[in-house]
């Protein structure tokens, strides 16, 4: 909003960070040789908007660090906003209407209030929204600089936008900041018996120090306990404590714990805020984005659930050091799959010499951090564009059609989720090659990376023929056709209808 302090804060921040400052409005005026008012007078608001978008695109193409002050209206255009969020750290400055009127006299308070309210959902899609009322310019500039060092990944969902921190050995610091910001009346800590002695007790101590003694719920571990009974146990503990609606649920554990904790938060007192602290690689790269929460109902996996976005997700790759090699490989299947869908650059790194080994054998924390960031960023982008899986989000189902069938056939115990995804990806590659969509050499390369990540790839050794009876239960099918995700090139996948009866033929290896 006019008068909020973009230019002043931008200048101060650029000075502090020792990088150039670009005022997009001024640079448009320089290029056009006219003031913005003259551009609007001659060509209307659209003319200014077109120039703003072009200037923004130029800025975003330049990889060197800079501080850019955007025109107030630039962010109202969602595609432009999403591209800024992908490429940079976006901070929206706000101020109370009274303060704005004081700083930019001549504006009508009612008009400012209306404009402010109309823009709130757009401005909320940022890495941070900072209220500049009664704060100094330098204070705000150093806060933003601190954020740029932390470099969280944003999941842009309007007023439910949240951040995912991915940083090694930073869980304590990030959790402390999160609790300070959320200021909960009480914390409900949910974890499991395996995670509690490994990492849960540490998190518990931070919570106790910052937010008082939490309500502790330590569940038995494993998918067997991803049930309504576990949710009921959490709800009873919270209600009996008792907690109020300012309480926050913190789930510390693998995907089972974060799913159960998130669903409990969705229904407790008609909705509590929650924070996810995933501790398995799989939950860091998969369950951390999108707000899907669920429990199983008998044999029906994830049959009872809700979309309930967390307030923050804190990922510390260090937590994976207590996981077994098989569990880490399982998470890496998801990493490779996601890179193939949306991060061709990272796919190249992974398939290059030593790339897979650094993750699966050396378990290098730096490399793991890079891998997790890649997956989270791809998913955050996809979810931001398609939260409810009306279109693009379906791309994330690469490897799921046959993978889920094999996972179900194995009673969810013979294969881990990642192993099933790896085999499902091999199946999708075979179908892609058979339909002339996937180049055969790309299929071979992906299969070799899967092997180097210590994942199973021998589809012919799997009970595929019997497992295929499960594909017709696939939630994603449309009428008689399955919707399989096939790979055209790294970073380029498409959903293709496949009739289940054709699958055995399409899955037969060539020759
Ligand atoms: N919500 C979503 O979007 C989403 C996405 C993917 C998967 N999931 C769900 O996640 C679950 C699978 O996740 P998972 O593999 O993390 O399962 P999990 O939570 O069962 O964890 C696997 C095992 O590892 C233990 N563990 C957790 N952290 C550990 C650590 N740091 N070191 C050693 N052991 C540790 C757990 O106690 C458990 O015994 C499934 O139920 C799946 O449906 C949800």
């Amino acid at each position: 909003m006019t008068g909020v302090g973009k230019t002043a804060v931008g200048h101060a921040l650029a000075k502090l960070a020792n990088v150039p400052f670009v005022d997009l409005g001024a640079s448009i005026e320089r290029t056009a040789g006219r003031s913005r008012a003259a551009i609007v007078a001659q060509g209307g608001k659209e003319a200014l908007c077109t120039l703003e978008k072009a200037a923004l695109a130029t800025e975003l193409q330049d990889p060197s660090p800079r501080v850019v002050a955007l025109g107030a209206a630039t962010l109202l255009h969602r595609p432009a906003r999403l591209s800024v969020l992908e490429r940079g750290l976006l901070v929206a400055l706000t101020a109370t209407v009274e303060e704005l009127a004081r700083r930019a006299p001549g504006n009508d308070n009612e008009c400012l209030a209306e404009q402010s309210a109309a823009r709130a959902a757009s401005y909320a899609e940022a890495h941070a929204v900072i209220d500049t009322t009664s704060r100094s310019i330098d204070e705000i500039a150093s806060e933003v600089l601190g954020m740029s060092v932390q470099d969280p990944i944003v999941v842009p969902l309007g007023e439910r936008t949240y951040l995912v921190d991915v940083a090694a050995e930073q869980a304590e610091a990030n959790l402390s900041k999160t609790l300070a910001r959320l200021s909960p009346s009480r914390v409900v800590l949910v974890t499991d018996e395996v995670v509690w002695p490994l990492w849960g007790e540490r998190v518990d101590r931070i919570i106790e120090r910052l937010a008082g003694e939490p309500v502790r719920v330590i569940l038995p571990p494993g998918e067997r306990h991803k049930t309504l009974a576990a949710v009921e146990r959490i709800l009873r503990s919270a209600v009996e404590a008792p907690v109020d609606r300012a309480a926050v649920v913190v789930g510390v554990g693998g995907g089972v714990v974060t799913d159960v904790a998130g669903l409990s938060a969705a229904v407790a007192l008609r909705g509590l805020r929650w924070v996810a602290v995933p501790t398995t690689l799989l939950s860091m790269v998969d369950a951390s984005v999108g707000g899907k929460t669920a429990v199983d109902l008998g044999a029906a996996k994830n049959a009872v659930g809700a979309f309930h976005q967390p307030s923050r997700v804190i990922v510390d790759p260090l937590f994976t050091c207590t996981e077994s090699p098989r569990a880490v490989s399982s998470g890496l299947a998801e990493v490779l799959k996601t890179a193939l869908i949306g991060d061709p650059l990272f796919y190249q790194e992974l398939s290059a010499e030593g790339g897979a080994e650094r993750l699966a054998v050396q378990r290098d924390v730096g490399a793991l951090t890079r891998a997790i960031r890649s997956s989270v960023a791809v998913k955050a982008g996809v979810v931001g564009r398609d939260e409810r899986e009306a279109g693009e989000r379906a791309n994330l189902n690469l490897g799921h059609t046959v993978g889920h069938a094999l996972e179900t056939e194995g009673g969810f115990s013979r294969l881990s989720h990642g192993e099933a995804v790896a085999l499902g990806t091999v199946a999708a590659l075979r179908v892609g090659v058979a339909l002339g969509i996937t180049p055969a050499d790309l299929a071979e390369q992906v299969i070799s990376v899967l092997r180097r990540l210590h994942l199973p790839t021998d589809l012919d050794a799997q009970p595929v023929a019997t497992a295929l009876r499960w594909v017709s239960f696939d939630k994603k099918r449309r009428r008689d056709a399955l919707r399989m995700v096939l790979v055209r090139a790294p970073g380029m996948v498409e959903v293709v209808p496949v009739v289940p009866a054709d699958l055995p033929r399409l899955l037969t290896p060539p020759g």
Side-chain angles (χ1 to χ4, degrees):
M1 301 278 289
T2 308
V4 88
K6 293 185 293 286
T7 314
V9 171
H11 264 303
L13 175 60
K15 201 165 155 214
L16 203 61
N18 198 20
V19 296
F21 172 66
V22 179
D23 185 332
L24 210 64
S27 83
I28 290 169
E29 289 181 347
R30 254 196 321 277
T31 319
R34 291 169 289 168
S35 72
R36 275 168 287 172
I39 296 170
V40 173
Q42 282 164 9
K45 276 189 179 162
E46 296 75 44
L48 181 61
C49 194
T50 307
L51 291 174
E52 265 177 349
K53 277 192 236 163
L56 179 63
T58 310
E59 288 304 327
L60 291 176
Q61 269 159 21
D62 183 346
S64 62
R66 265 146 318 135
V67 176
V68 182
L70 302 173
T74 321
L75 291 181
L76 303 181
H77 180 58
R78 194 160 194 261
R81 193 161 71 235
L82 293 184
S83 56
V84 176
L85 286 171
E86 264 175 34
R87 303 288 185 90
L89 181 86
L90 177 60
V91 177
L93 302 180
T94 64
T96 59
V97 169
E98 295 69 29
E99 180 68 12
L100 287 174
R102 195 184 63 75
R103 292 186 200 167
N107 280 318
D108 169 19
N109 275 23
E110 212 171 292
C111 193
L112 278 174
E114 259 177 39
Q115 206 175 36
S116 213
R119 291 177 176 190
S122 302
Y123 288 172
E125 286 194 335
H127 288 86
V129 180
I130 299 180
D131 187 346
T132 63
T133 317
S134 63
R135 292 191 64 189
S136 78
I137 289 168
D138 289 341
E139 204 181 290
I140 300 165
S142 47
E143 182 180 337
V144 177
L145 188 62
M147 282 198 72
S148 77
V149 173
Q150 208 177 336
D151 202 13
I153 297 166
V154 70
V155 184
L157 293 165
E159 282 169 295
R160 292 164 304 130
T161 294
Y162 68 93
L163 300 180
V164 183
D165 293 299
V166 185
E169 297 184 59
Q170 294 297 316
E172 267 195 62
N174 288 332
L175 185 63
S176 304
K177 282 184 208 147
T178 298
L179 290 176
R181 193 174 53 83
L182 296 177
S183 172
S185 55
R186 188 91 192 259
V187 169
V188 180
L189 171 69
V190 181
T191 186
D192 74 23
E193 287 159 4
V194 173
V195 176
W196 173 252
L198 295 174
W199 305 106
E201 273 181 296
R202 268 189 204 208
V203 174
D204 185 83
R205 278 197 294 277
I206 305 168
I207 294 171
E208 183 146 10
R209 184 159 46 80
L210 294 165
E213 192 182 0
V215 178
R216 299 182 182 94
V217 186
I218 305 175
L219 301 167
E223 187 74 30
R224 232 162 31 89
H225 300 285
K226 200 172 113 167
T227 57
L228 280 170
V231 172
E232 184 173 350
R233 191 173 147 193
I234 297 166
L235 295 179
R236 281 189 186 281
S237 305
V239 168
E240 283 161 16
V243 305
D244 60 26
R245 294 194 67 186
V248 168
V249 176
V250 178
V252 184
V256 166
V257 165
T258 53
D259 266 7
V260 175
L263 181 57
S264 303
V267 294
L269 309 182
R270 295 210 177 90
L272 295 179
R273 295 169 297 169
W274 76 290
V275 173
V277 185
T279 57
T280 62
L281 182 58
L282 183 69
S283 57
M284 291 177 189
V285 297
D286 201 0
S288 62
V289 179
K292 281 185 182 173
T293 71
V295 293
D296 305 335
L297 198 63
K301 225 177 118 60
N302 297 327
V304 183
F307 281 93
H308 185 46
Q309 305 298 338
S311 300
R312 190 104 182 185
V313 176
I314 296 166
V315 174
D316 190 337
L318 190 73
F319 288 168
T320 63
C321 71
T322 50
E323 279 200 279
S324 69
R326 185 180 173 197
V328 170
S329 285
S330 181
L332 290 173
E334 201 59 38
V335 168
L336 171 63
K337 184 199 93 174
T338 312
L340 205 49
I341 294 167
D343 190 348
L345 214 65
F346 182 64
Y347 171 76
Q348 252 173 31
E349 278 179 39
L350 203 52
S351 53
E353 198 184 330
E357 292 69 18
R358 256 192 300 285
L359 293 165
V361 183
Q362 293 146 25
R363 291 172 64 165
D364 178 281
V365 175
L368 272 171
T369 307
R370 163 92 179 95
I372 296 166
R373 287 190 73 87
S374 158
S375 285
V376 171
V378 169
K379 286 187 181 164
V382 172
V383 167
R385 290 186 292 269
D386 176 25
E387 181 188 1
R388 301 260 166 171
E389 207 165 311
E392 190 189 348
R393 191 163 177 177
N395 289 350
L396 297 178
N397 297 329
L398 171 62
H400 281 189
T401 311
V402 174
H404 279 170
L406 288 170
E407 202 177 2
T408 312
E409 183 67 19
F412 292 97
S413 58
R414 192 175 57 83
L415 292 172
S416 71
H417 178 67
E419 288 164 349
V421 166
L423 288 159
T425 304
V426 174
L429 292 167
R430 276 197 191 172
V431 174
V433 172
L435 294 177
I437 292 173
T438 310
D441 55 348
L442 174 64
E444 262 171 46
Q445 187 190 47
V446 175
I447 290 170
S448 116
V449 181
L450 285 169
R451 247 185 245 124
R452 289 163 56 206
L453 293 172
H454 298 176
L455 287 157
T457 56
D458 187 358
L459 200 57
D460 304 315
Q462 295 294 320
V464 178
T466 46
L468 284 184
R469 69 198 151 112
W470 300 109
V471 297
S472 43
F473 292 100
D474 191 333
K475 285 200 282 278
K476 282 106 191 174
R477 73 187 179 281
R478 283 258 174 92
R479 293 195 193 91
D480 291 338
L482 301 165
R483 292 162 49 74
M484 280 191 85
V485 182
L486 304 180
V487 187
R488 199 168 276 284
M492 208 187 284
V493 294
E494 55 199 59
V495 177
V496 176
V498 175
V499 179
D502 290 343
L503 260 184
R505 177 177 56 81
L506 296 171
L507 288 172
T508 309

